[in-house]
Amino acid sequence: MRAILPGKPQARLQAVCTVEWEGIRLVVYISGNGLMILSGSSNLLQAIYHEDCDSLIAVTIDELSGKIATANSHEIHLYRPYGKEDGLLKWSLQCVIPRLDQESEDITLSWGTDEELLVGSDSLRLFQTAAEEAEIWCRGLSKPTKIAKFSYDASFIASTGRYDRLIKLWRRQSYGSDDTRFDFTYLPHPTAVTSIHWRRPHTRVQASDHVLYSTCGDQKLRIWAAMDQHGVQGLQLWAEIDMQASVQPRQLNTSLQSKDRFAFIIDSQDFSRTTAAAVRRATEFQAVNVESKEQHGLEHLAEVAKSSPEICVVLDRHGHMSAWGLENVGCKARKPTDVFNIAHVENFDLGFLDYVGSTDDDTQLYPFCWEQPEAPFVLLAHHFDGKIEWLECRLEELFAPSPQQKRTRQKTLWTGHDGPVKKIVRSASGNAVISRTNDNEALIWTQGYGGHDLGLSLRSSLSCPLHIHRSWLLKEGDFVVNLHHASLSLWDARCSPAAQITSVPFDIEGHPVCLVQLPEPRLDPKIVHIATITATKQGLVWEISLPEDDIHRPEAQRPSVSQIKQLGVFQLDIKESIAFMLPVDPAGLAVWTSSSLDTFAKDIAISYSHDGRLRTWTAALDTDVSPMGWLVTSIVETGIKDPSLASGNSIRKAALVDKSKTGLTIWDMRSGQLEYSIQYRDLDLIRDLDWSSTPDDQALLAVGFPHKVMVLAQMRYDYLNVGPAWAPVREIYIKDSTPHPIGDSTWLGSGNLLVGAGNQLFVYDKSVDSSDDMISDFTVPVHKQGQMNLFDLVTFLNGPLPLFHPQFLSQCILAGKLSQVQRIVRELYSALKFYTDGDDLDSFVSISPDILIEDTEQTPVGRTQDYKSGHASIDEGNDHRFDDVATSLTSNLSSISVPQLSNQDQMHLADMVECLSTVITHQRSMDDNATRYLLFFRQHMVRKNQATSNRASFTYREIVWAYHSGSQDILVDLTSRQFGGRMLWENAKECGLFMWMSDLTALRLQFEMVARNEYTKTDEKNPIDCSLYYLALKKKNVLLGLWRMAAWNREQASTQRLLSNNFQESRWKTAALKNAYALLGKRRFEYAAAFFLLAGNLQDAVNVCLHQMRDLQLAVAVARVYEGDDGSVLRLLLEDKVLPQAALEGDRWLATWAFWMLGKRDLALRALISPIHTLLGTPESPKMQAKSYLANDPALVVLYKQLRGKTLQTLKGALRISPKEEWDFVIQTARLYDRMGCDLLALDLVRNWEFLLQSKDTTSQAEAPPDPRRMLRRRSSLVVDDLPNPQSPTGMKAGMGRPPPQKVFEEPELNSLLDNFGF
């Protein structure tokens, strides 16, 4: 649904036309140089712009063919309809007719029969437009034509000139394009003719039934009819109605009397048909409701309609109306009763009071009836001040003799600009906006027109002689501040048009780029402060004193005139220049008060530099000391050079567009994280960015393109499925309605989106359809499908998750809360056991939040042991085994629709419960890290077998959990079983086996099993498939034996001879290298790596695996198997390849694994918090991917807490992390939990986190080894002493590499042990 403000109609007699064509009510009008074509009150079918002219003069539409003709100062355009059969009704240009009198502004258009077009100006010209346009008649005139209209059968033309008191009546003498002739007579009037109207006959062939209505300056309506068909006159005066005398107000108050009169005619067929339909509806209603009251007004109307009269309605400016019936029009013997009064009523309000004394106070009325039972009568009122009202009513209400509160209802109002919209600025709350054109014409709008929040009501208009550089709305649109190149002006918009109150000049270095309202140090509605900032980082502050609210007080009684006082000049304290600066979108916040200047204050502006550095700013005003102070609240290095556009909001989200205007990135300014990045097509140039937010501060971004707007919604972080943090939820196309590109857009306070394109303003509401392709991709619950509110959708996509949501359960497992997860699963099983559709389901499933935020490290031993039992009950009296519960719950999830979950969520939850049952079966023989690994590995395999598009990715996070597990032998056995005991290399790579196994003997045994399985994976048993693996194991003889059995292979003889040689000799090493390079040329990379190993060149083999095969795990596995974990090749691989790759990609899991493999366990711990490139000392800046939110997994805090007290090296690394860094790390992780919808885990983290107790003597702390007894209150009973021996240079050098064999930290004294257990 949308509301449309198509544009300001021209103040011309032929600016509006309406007809019913093939069952469609069409309304066309001209606005500026645009033609607006509407169907009904709110459906803009098409907008056509004439780029070669400034404005259009006239428009008309043919109700037989549907053709539209428009005229400007030098030509006439004809448009023909097409696409109605396909439901896509549009108009295309048929031809252009040049005007002969291009200097005249007077022109009139009228359609006849057979697609004939009459053009009146300095002459009358008739064109035939059925096929090709051809002029068939032309007649010069003594003065330009003001009005010229065909009769309905095209046998008469009535025309008159400006200020002419004669109507020239042209009677057609012949038809045909070859010989078209007219003669004419005159219809005299006492004063200048003001309007002409032909009566609509019941059929268009009633040639003898011509009736013409005319009005002139004497306020009389004259009826001309063909009483003598064979007379020379053609039409004779039949009757006249004195409009001045017909409306006689009952009040004696002269202020409620007006001499101006307005009239419109309701044709006989419309009146009769509409009255008959009203009587039919009333009869049906009374048949159902026996006790309904009699409708005397309808009975009177039905009695009048029996004689099929025309109705003449006369109005004045104060809502007085007189209706007259015209019966037997054209009869020679007119009776006095042929003109009779139907009704004289009051309260017919058309808003005429608003235009008394205005120069544009004229109004034209266009009545018509249509098949709408609720409002069968419509009156279009074209006000020459620039708007069209669509008024609806029922005839029985319109002519009811009894007093009526409201006889007509305003369905819509068409108004707007007469030029393209350039800029739209909203107030802080979004309840008022100002739209501006290139001509410095502005309109001020307020929200909530017509009793609902969708439309806009025109508050005031503003015309400024100076160029408007920036605008700002004050007090919900009551006042407007305009920034010009060298002055600042204040306008009062409480009246229309807006009046300039005051203006002050200013002189400042540079070009102003920003106008922003400042937070007020104290709440005073009469005082506001405005600042501007230039490209040279200078700024000015003004204090504006607003006038009193009562604008209706006499001017002599009003207080002193408002003033603008310049407070001073300030300078932004940054070294680099700013490319642009703009105020942040307030995101639903009103103006706030603030006297502090710190990072907790609300942002008011955002700036960006040419090298892509984003800054958010806040300011505080202090008139006693200095004009104001500015503070940078956040800085983000985006790395995007020469950005073209940026926008931010007050909740510190920022969007940045690259130089090409096709790339969009969204940043979280608090954490400096990249949340979203997308590259649009080259044709989709981004032109506008607008922020909004839901009531609970969830962000929305509207991205404006030339002909569409894409609405992006914030989503939960999803680290397990690597889901997007932002996604498009709505796409608005305007090209079907207007060809003009979008000028600007903004969000209204209610969540509706206002889009300005050309002369039009479109208001789109916030309802979304869940069946839309964009929405259907989201996990929308079944009970929420259908029509949804955009705010509700965004809240669902971002709000707190229920405890049984699969993402919440996954994060609980990573946080070491497996027992609580079991409790949640059991409670969910109990809740769903007797659940039926429509029942409420508690998001907490009757679990107290205290259970989830308790410190697991302080849980009593007996209770922990009870939690960890996979076969024991958590709740007393519940003796269900967990695997039975899991089976039943999985079955329930396949048949029940859980309200808080989507179908996809339920499927993932069922998979998780199944995997959880498997893990708990082996829980007693595994540690927590092994449990984490096994659960997500099983989940990965389940989703892989389901072939779902959104499968859980298996990353280095899971590899690190297994790497730090003490139950690797069990993990090896379980993962091998998963692949049926025949693990190939692709299986080993999938589970990361050779990255996390720490026992080299077991590692080589598994590698040999992989080699054997690779050999036997095909029926032909090809030795080439296992060559790399056996040669890495240095088992050339085994490979040689396999080649002896490969008699089918044509390479058997040559390979067998080659392998029989001694490769310790340089000759055969060279031969192996030559074969390796030859195989590289043939792109047989794996076999080439095997020959490099045969030549004893491990480094080249690893390089082939890494670069040509792009298999890091294979390179690591070959290096570890070939020379162990202390080999130089592995060290070089980790230092030169793995760690730089981790730094570029921001992969902290890979970095911590690599550092730990190198023995640099202090750096392995620091890599979880600090930027990786700072630990390596490399000048190369990380990729955009490294700045993504995915690089800061909240599970990192779990690993950090686990490793911090594991060894003395990690404790030493923890000491290198400043308390502020650790504080920021914990708070940032809590924010990530909150953004994921896991609020309870965020609370658990900040409540139970233990910071290191660091000594104040930093010198002695750096020299002495760390003492875990003094640094941690809660710690493991054993801390491994892995520090190198510092007594010799060799030992010191070893500290930089892999440490010596680990030794156990000395057992502390008894008192320390008791202290460790809390005694």
Side-chain angles (χ1 to χ4, degrees):
M1 181 182 178
R2 66 181 184 183
I4 303 174
L5 296 164
K8 178 181 179 180
Q10 300 279 53
R12 294 184 177 274
L13 290 176
Q14 223 176 341
V16 181
C17 185
T18 177
V19 298
E20 184 175 351
W21 174 67
E22 296 188 3
I24 303 174
R25 172 55 61 173
L26 298 175
V27 181
V28 297
Y29 77 90
I30 52 178
S31 173
N33 66 345
L35 167 65
M36 310 302 149
I37 308 173
L38 299 103
S39 171
S41 61
S42 60
N43 184 19
L44 178 64
L45 294 177
Q46 192 175 2
I48 302 174
Y49 288 91
H50 302 70
E51 302 296 343
D52 54 347
C53 70
D54 295 332
S55 63
L56 298 176
I57 300 175
V59 64
T60 185
I61 182 170
D62 185 9
E63 64 179 81
L64 295 178
S65 64
K67 288 185 177 182
I68 300 174
T70 63
N72 56 45
S73 59
H74 56 278
E75 58 191 6
I76 299 163
H77 291 76
L78 265 63
Y79 298 92
R80 62 157 60 100
Y82 69 93
K84 183 178 183 297
E85 297 79 7
D86 301 328
L88 299 172
L89 180 59
K90 298 294 177 184
W91 278 257
S92 62
L93 181 65
Q94 175 184 337
C95 64
V96 178
I97 302 174
R99 287 184 56 183
L100 301 179
D101 47 356
Q102 298 187 5
E103 296 181 358
S104 175
E105 280 290 321
D106 291 319
I107 189 171
T108 180
L109 304 172
S110 180
W111 287 99
T113 57
D114 299 327
E115 301 181 28
E116 292 178 343
L117 177 64
L118 176 67
V119 179
S121 184
D122 292 345
S123 61
L124 288 179
R125 304 169 66 194
L126 186 60
F127 293 90
Q128 173 57 250
T129 66
E132 296 182 358
E133 70 282 0
E135 183 178 309
I136 60 176
W137 179 74
C138 180
R139 186 69 177 266
L141 301 173
S142 59
K143 63 170 58 177
T145 305
K146 177 185 177 183
I147 305 173
K149 290 187 177 181
F150 257 126
S151 63
Y152 279 89
D153 63 351
S155 60
F156 281 98
I157 298 174
S159 68
T160 186
R162 187 178 297 272
Y163 310 118
D164 198 345
R165 67 180 187 86
L166 298 174
I167 292 179
K168 188 174 289 187
L169 186 66
W170 304 80
R171 180 157 50 181
R172 196 163 193 160
Q173 300 297 313
S174 63
Y175 291 84
S177 58
D178 295 335
D179 184 20
T180 300
R181 289 176 295 135
F182 288 84
D183 64 0
F184 66 89
T185 58
Y186 291 101
L187 303 181
H189 291 72
T191 58
V193 177
T194 56
S195 69
I196 295 174
H197 173 74
W198 287 99
R199 185 181 72 171
R200 176 188 294 273
H202 286 275
T203 61
R204 296 181 69 94
V205 296
Q206 290 178 322
S208 61
D209 196 16
H210 298 108
V211 176
L212 179 69
Y213 303 94
S214 66
T215 61
C216 63
D218 65 349
Q219 300 287 352
K220 289 185 178 181
L221 173 73
R222 290 171 172 80
I223 302 103
W224 306 83
M227 293 183 289
D228 184 3
Q229 297 292 337
H230 304 289
V232 178
Q233 190 67 17
L235 296 180
Q236 296 81 32
L237 181 63
W238 183 77
E240 61 182 27
I241 298 175
D242 189 344
M243 295 187 294
Q244 191 70 39
S246 63
V247 176
Q248 295 293 335
R250 296 185 176 93
Q251 295 87 352
L252 297 178
N253 189 352
T254 56
S255 63
L256 296 179
Q257 297 181 12
S258 171
K259 293 184 179 180
D260 295 329
R261 295 293 182 266
F262 304 88
F264 61 88
I265 304 295
I266 303 177
D267 293 312
S268 172
Q269 63 169 358
D270 286 346
F271 179 73
S272 301
R273 185 173 67 248
T274 305
T275 303
V279 172
R280 185 169 58 254
R281 287 194 306 271
T283 304
E284 294 173 354
F285 180 78
Q286 290 177 354
V288 178
N289 301 273
V290 182
E291 298 180 357
S292 60
K293 297 181 180 180
E294 295 184 2
Q295 300 183 19
H296 298 289
L298 182 58
E299 294 175 358
H300 170 66
L301 212 62
E303 186 67 26
V304 172
K306 290 181 179 179
S307 57
S308 301
E310 269 76 32
I311 307 297
C312 174
V313 181
V314 182
L315 307 164
D316 70 356
R317 288 191 177 276
H318 299 287
H320 304 113
M321 181 190 75
S322 178
W324 298 82
L326 306 176
E327 190 176 305
N328 300 321
V329 178
C331 180
K332 292 182 180 181
R334 184 174 72 85
K335 297 179 293 185
T337 57
D338 287 345
V339 180
F340 57 94
N341 185 265
I342 296 177
H344 187 95
V345 300
E346 299 179 359
N347 298 327
F348 193 90
D349 186 13
L350 290 180
F352 292 137
L353 287 173
D354 298 339
Y355 316 111
V356 175
S358 172
T359 57
D360 297 327
D361 61 351
D362 196 8
T363 299
Q364 282 189 311
L365 304 175
Y366 302 87
F368 62 86
C369 299
W370 63 340
E371 300 297 331
Q372 295 291 335
E374 296 299 323
F377 179 74
V378 176
L379 183 64
L380 287 181
H382 172 209
H383 304 292
F384 276 36
D385 71 326
K387 65 181 181 181
I388 300 174
E389 285 185 286
W390 179 294
L391 301 168
E392 293 183 343
C393 69
R394 295 183 177 181
L395 287 181
E396 60 268 29
E397 297 173 353
L398 180 65
F399 298 127
S402 59
Q404 298 285 330
Q405 185 70 24
K406 200 77 172 178
R407 296 182 183 271
T408 60
R409 296 173 296 277
Q410 189 183 71
K411 179 69 175 295
T412 189
L413 182 80
W414 296 331
T415 184
H417 294 277
D418 57 1
V421 176
K422 174 186 177 182
K423 186 65 179 176
I424 303 176
V425 179
R426 57 171 270 176
S427 64
S429 64
N431 294 326
V433 296
I434 179 172
S435 54
R436 198 173 71 238
T437 66
N438 288 321
D439 299 327
N440 301 315
E441 303 285 340
L443 298 177
I444 296 94
W445 310 84
T446 55
Q447 190 178 353
Y449 166 75
H452 53 83
D453 64 352
L454 181 59
L456 291 177
S457 177
L458 181 60
R459 174 83 175 260
S460 181
S461 61
L462 185 152
S463 180
C464 184
L466 299 176
H467 174 69
I468 300 176
H469 191 53
R470 295 286 185 271
S471 297
W472 195 270
L473 291 176
L474 301 176
K475 297 189 70 174
E476 300 301 332
D478 286 350
F479 302 95
V480 181
V481 177
N482 287 327
L483 177 69
H484 313 288
H485 289 304
S487 64
L488 187 80
S489 61
L490 176 65
W491 297 71
D492 190 342
R494 295 174 294 176
C495 55
S496 184
Q500 181 173 325
I501 300 176
T502 184
S503 176
V504 294
F506 63 84
D507 184 16
I508 190 173
E509 180 185 352
H511 181 67
V513 297
C514 178
L515 184 69
V516 61
Q517 184 176 357
L518 305 177
E520 299 296 333
R522 53 189 175 276
L523 188 61
D524 186 351
K526 300 177 183 178
I527 302 296
V528 294
H529 293 85
I530 297 288
T532 185
I533 302 165
T534 69
T536 59
K537 297 174 291 186
Q538 278 194 355
L540 281 174
V541 184
W542 293 278
E543 181 181 270
I544 301 178
S545 302
L546 299 177
E548 293 288 343
D549 292 335
D550 190 4
I551 193 175
H552 301 291
R553 292 173 60 181
E555 188 172 352
Q557 300 179 13
R558 294 184 191 177
S560 59
V561 180
S562 305
Q563 63 175 350
I564 301 177
K565 182 173 66 175
Q566 182 175 319
L567 298 183
V569 181
F570 61 87
Q571 184 78 27
L572 296 181
D573 188 19
I574 56 174
K575 295 181 180 180
E576 65 178 352
S577 62
I578 57 175
F580 203 77
M581 190 171 186
L582 67 160
V584 298
D585 286 328
L589 295 175
V591 180
W592 60 91
T593 59
S594 176
S595 59
S596 60
L597 187 63
D598 51 43
T599 56
F600 296 100
K602 290 290 184 181
D603 296 336
I604 64 171
I606 184 172
S607 67
Y608 60 89
S609 61
H610 291 287
D611 59 356
R613 186 175 291 109
L614 282 173
R615 287 184 174 89
T616 55
W617 300 81
T618 188
L621 197 65
D622 189 359
T623 56
D624 299 330
V625 181
S626 61
M628 66 180 304
W630 286 82
L631 177 67
V632 177
T633 56
S634 62
I635 303 178
V636 174
E637 301 281 353
T638 66
I640 299 174
K641 302 299 181 183
D642 297 323
S644 59
L645 189 64
S647 181
N649 61 13
S650 58
I651 54 178
R652 295 191 183 170
K653 301 289 182 185
L656 192 66
V657 180
D658 63 8
K659 184 178 180 180
S660 65
K661 296 185 179 181
T662 57
L664 172 68
T665 53
I666 300 178
W667 302 82
D668 183 355
M669 297 298 292
R670 281 193 177 92
S671 61
Q673 293 180 151
L674 173 65
E675 293 192 338
Y676 186 70
S677 177
I678 188 172
Q679 192 74 30
Y680 294 103
R681 300 180 307 165
D682 293 340
L683 298 177
D684 291 336
L685 300 181
I686 300 173
R687 303 179 59 165
D688 188 31
L689 299 170
D690 293 287
W691 288 96
S692 182
S693 69
T694 64
D696 54 349
D697 280 347
Q698 308 296 340
L700 284 164
L701 177 65
V703 184
F705 298 92
H707 297 284
K708 69 177 180 180
V709 177
M710 185 77 72
V711 179
L712 301 177
Q714 176 181 313
M715 299 183 68
R716 296 187 191 95
Y717 287 166
D718 187 355
Y719 291 90
L720 300 177
N721 299 316
V722 197
W726 290 78
V729 295
R730 191 174 186 182
E731 195 169 22
I732 298 171
Y733 284 97
I734 67 163
K735 202 166 186 178
D736 294 337
S737 300
T738 175
H740 208 286
I742 295 175
D744 198 9
S745 61
T746 191
W747 291 93
L748 301 178
S750 61
N752 301 329
L753 182 64
L754 178 63
V755 180
N759 300 8
Q760 291 81 50
L761 291 172
F762 301 90
V763 184
Y764 294 89
D765 68 354
K766 57 180 180 288
S767 64
V768 293
D769 189 357
S770 62
S771 62
D772 190 291
D773 291 339
M774 289 185 176
I775 309 299
S776 61
D777 293 337
F778 301 143
T779 55
V780 178
V782 176
H783 76 289
K784 288 184 176 291
Q785 293 182 1
Q787 286 294 330
M788 293 184 64
N789 186 299
L790 184 60
F791 283 179
D792 295 338
L793 174 64
V794 176
T795 299
F796 169 75
L797 296 176
N798 290 274
L801 294 170
L803 298 190
F804 47 82
H805 194 281
Q807 172 152 291
F808 185 85
L809 296 179
S810 300
Q811 293 299 326
C812 284
I813 293 169
L814 290 174
K817 299 181 180 295
L818 185 61
S819 56
Q820 288 90 331
V821 170
Q822 295 182 54
R823 171 98 179 252
I824 293 171
V825 171
R826 288 182 181 274
E827 293 294 343
L828 179 62
Y829 163 71
S830 301
L832 294 182
K833 187 184 298 184
F834 304 105
Y835 177 84
T836 57
D837 290 340
D839 293 350
D840 292 331
L841 184 62
D842 183 14
S843 297
F844 286 87
V845 285
S846 304
I847 296 179
S848 172
D850 294 336
I851 296 177
L852 292 167
I853 61 176
E854 66 181 1
D855 190 354
T856 54
E857 295 186 8
Q858 292 184 344
T859 304
V861 177
R863 185 175 178 185
T864 304
Q865 192 66 29
D866 181 52
Y867 276 177
K868 288 189 175 183
S869 174
H871 305 280
S873 170
I874 295 177
D875 300 324
E876 295 182 5
N878 187 356
D879 55 355
H880 291 291
R881 291 168 52 92
F882 187 82
D883 52 354
D884 296 334
V885 171
T887 302
S888 300
L889 179 58
T890 303
S891 176
N892 289 339
L893 290 174
S894 62
S895 58
I896 297 175
S897 296
V898 181
Q900 292 93 329
L901 301 179
S902 67
N903 292 333
Q904 188 177 20
D905 290 334
Q906 286 191 213
M907 184 175 65
H908 289 173
L909 178 59
D911 296 341
M912 175 168 287
V913 171
E914 179 184 346
C915 298
L916 191 62
S917 175
T918 304
V919 169
I920 290 176
T921 304
H922 305 280
Q923 182 187 0
R924 292 184 175 181
S925 53
M926 294 188 302
D927 58 11
D928 289 341
N929 285 340
T931 301
R932 294 183 179 104
Y933 172 86
L934 184 59
L935 178 70
F936 290 103
F937 173 68
R938 284 281 303 167
Q939 191 171 345
H940 165 74
M941 296 304 298
V942 168
R943 295 193 189 178
K944 174 188 173 183
N945 295 332
Q946 291 174 347
T948 58
S949 59
N950 187 18
R951 65 178 61 172
S953 58
F954 201 72
T955 64
Y956 287 108
R957 174 183 54 236
E958 286 71 37
I959 291 175
V960 170
W961 294 128
Y963 181 65
H964 290 288
S965 171
S967 312
Q968 291 185 355
D969 51 346
I970 299 175
L971 290 182
V972 171
D973 180 58
L974 293 176
T975 52
S976 179
R977 288 187 197 175
Q978 183 66 43
F979 300 109
R982 292 180 54 84
M983 185 178 290
L984 303 174
W985 170 249
E986 62 178 356
N987 306 134
K989 180 182 177 180
E990 189 173 7
C991 63
L993 181 68
F994 295 100
M995 300 282 282
W996 53 259
M997 287 187 67
S998 56
D999 186 348
L1000 281 177
T1001 303
L1003 180 80
R1004 291 188 173 102
L1005 287 175
Q1006 287 297 322
F1007 203 74
E1008 188 170 1
M1009 291 177 62
V1010 169
R1012 189 159 50 248
N1013 294 331
E1014 287 287 338
Y1015 174 70
T1016 59
K1017 68 180 180 181
T1018 60
D1019 294 337
E1020 59 186 11
K1021 298 181 180 179
N1022 193 346
I1024 297 177
D1025 295 337
C1026 62
S1027 297
L1028 176 63
Y1029 307 98
Y1030 278 117
L1031 292 177
L1033 290 165
K1034 301 179 181 178
K1035 295 187 176 183
K1036 186 193 70 171
N1037 293 331
V1038 175
L1039 182 61
L1040 182 59
L1042 297 178
W1043 272 107
R1044 289 194 184 102
M1045 294 183 288
W1048 55 271
N1049 196 317
R1050 64 181 182 179
E1051 298 178 1
Q1052 181 198 27
S1054 57
T1055 306
Q1056 189 174 346
R1057 285 195 303 270
L1058 181 63
L1059 291 177
S1060 301
N1061 298 298
N1062 183 8
F1063 286 91
Q1064 299 298 324
E1065 300 177 7
S1066 58
R1067 170 191 172 188
W1068 297 113
K1069 284 185 178 182
T1070 303
L1073 288 175
K1074 288 181 179 179
N1075 281 277
Y1077 287 120
L1079 290 169
L1080 283 177
K1082 296 179 181 180
R1083 304 188 66 81
R1084 298 173 66 181
F1085 299 128
E1086 182 179 330
Y1087 205 26
F1091 274 89
F1092 278 123
L1093 291 178
L1094 188 62
N1097 197 335
L1098 175 62
Q1099 184 64 63
D1100 287 341
V1102 168
N1103 288 339
V1104 170
C1105 295
L1106 186 64
H1107 298 296
Q1108 275 72 32
M1109 299 179 66
R1110 300 184 182 277
D1111 194 340
L1112 173 62
Q1113 291 197 37
L1114 183 59
V1116 171
V1118 168
R1120 295 185 69 188
V1121 170
Y1122 194 87
E1123 62 175 6
D1125 289 348
D1126 297 325
S1128 59
V1129 174
L1130 178 62
R1131 179 177 300 276
L1132 195 64
L1133 173 65
L1134 296 176
E1135 291 178 347
D1136 294 350
K1137 303 296 181 182
V1138 176
L1139 285 174
Q1141 176 184 338
L1144 284 175
E1145 298 176 356
D1147 194 335
R1148 298 184 182 276
W1149 298 101
L1150 180 59
T1152 187
W1153 171 85
F1155 279 127
W1156 199 278
M1157 284 288 295
L1158 289 170
K1160 302 177 181 180
R1161 298 180 177 178
D1162 54 340
L1163 296 180
L1165 185 77
R1166 293 172 60 190
L1168 300 176
I1169 296 181
S1170 303
I1172 304 172
H1173 66 276
T1174 61
L1175 303 179
L1176 301 178
T1178 55
E1180 188 176 1
S1181 60
K1183 293 181 181 179
M1184 186 78 72
Q1185 179 184 352
K1187 302 174 183 178
S1188 171
Y1189 75 96
L1190 294 171
N1192 298 312
D1193 194 327
L1196 291 169
V1197 77
V1198 179
L1199 182 63
Y1200 173 81
K1201 188 175 183 179
Q1202 180 185 128
L1203 297 184
R1204 184 177 60 178
K1206 191 171 186 178
T1207 72
L1208 293 184
Q1209 263 203 72
T1210 56
L1211 277 174
K1212 189 174 182 180
L1215 291 176
R1216 300 287 299 274
I1217 300 171
S1218 66
K1220 183 181 184 304
E1221 281 184 292
E1222 187 174 357
W1223 168 272
D1224 292 341
F1225 175 58
V1226 174
I1227 296 302
Q1228 172 63 15
T1229 304
R1231 287 199 187 104
L1232 296 178
Y1233 275 134
D1234 179 68
R1235 183 67 191 275
M1236 295 172 66
C1238 305
D1239 304 59
L1240 287 176
L1241 294 181
L1243 179 60
D1244 171 66
L1245 177 65
V1246 297
R1247 177 183 178 182
N1248 299 318
W1249 184 261
E1250 178 189 1
F1251 290 92
L1252 287 179
L1253 302 177
Q1254 299 192 6
S1255 173
K1256 295 182 180 180
D1257 187 2
T1258 56
T1259 306
S1260 60
Q1261 180 177 319
E1263 295 176 354
D1267 187 354
R1269 295 172 298 179
R1270 298 180 180 179
M1271 295 174 61
L1272 293 170
R1273 294 189 184 94
R1274 299 174 304 212
R1275 61 186 183 275
S1276 173
S1277 59
L1278 297 179
V1279 179
V1280 177
D1281 181 5
D1282 58 350
L1283 291 176
N1285 186 4
Q1287 295 179 355
S1288 64
T1290 306
M1292 295 181 68
K1293 190 175 294 186
M1296 299 300 296
R1298 187 163 186 84
Q1302 300 176 353
K1303 61 179 181 180
V1304 178
F1305 184 74
E1306 293 183 5
E1307 192 71 26
E1309 298 178 358
L1310 179 62
N1311 292 335
S1312 299
L1313 287 174
L1314 294 176
D1315 179 64
N1316 188 50
F1317 285 99
F1319 300 108

